[in-house]
Amino acid sequence: MCTGGTIGFLVGYGLRKIAGIMLKVAAVAVALFTIPLMALSSLGVVQVDFAALTRLLEKLFTRLAEFAISLSPSMMRMFPASGGFALGLVAGVMK
């Protein structure tokens, strides 16, 4: 567990730092896109089909969930060899 745990900890810590920055950037990007779109929609300049947008997002998240579920059997096969890495990764993300 020493090497795998150490590498997992470093990856988890870096992932946490990068994910925090990426989430902030994504939130700003979504806001910069959504606010003007809704303002133009309320002024009648643009007509937005929010039902179609909702269906599109539901399809996207359904596909992402199916992809994550399809990965779980292969991840479980590798778990005995990567247990130390996984524990280090969780510790790094929680730090």
Side-chain angles (χ1 to χ4, degrees):
M1 177 175 144
C2 187
T3 304
T6 303
I7 293 171
F9 179 79
L10 293 174
V11 169
Y13 186 74
L15 203 79
R16 179 176 179 200
K17 293 295 183 182
I18 290 171
I21 293 169
M22 294 300 290
L23 283 174
K24 290 174 187 171
V25 169
V28 169
V30 167
L32 288 176
F33 175 75
T34 305
I35 292 171
L37 183 66
M38 295 194 67
L40 290 174
S41 177
S42 70
L43 292 173
V45 176
V46 178
Q47 187 174 4
V48 180
D49 186 3
F50 286 105
L53 181 62
T54 303
R55 286 192 302 272
L56 177 72
L57 291 175
E58 284 176 354
K59 263 204 255 185
L60 173 70
F61 287 119
T62 301
R63 287 183 183 171
L64 285 173
E66 289 171 354
F67 177 71
I69 290 170
S70 71
L71 284 180
S72 62
S74 62
M75 291 166 73
M76 291 307 287
R77 281 194 303 269
M78 295 185 299
F79 186 71
S82 60
F85 178 82
L87 289 174
L89 181 72
V90 169
V93 169
M94 300 299 272
K95 175 88 174 101

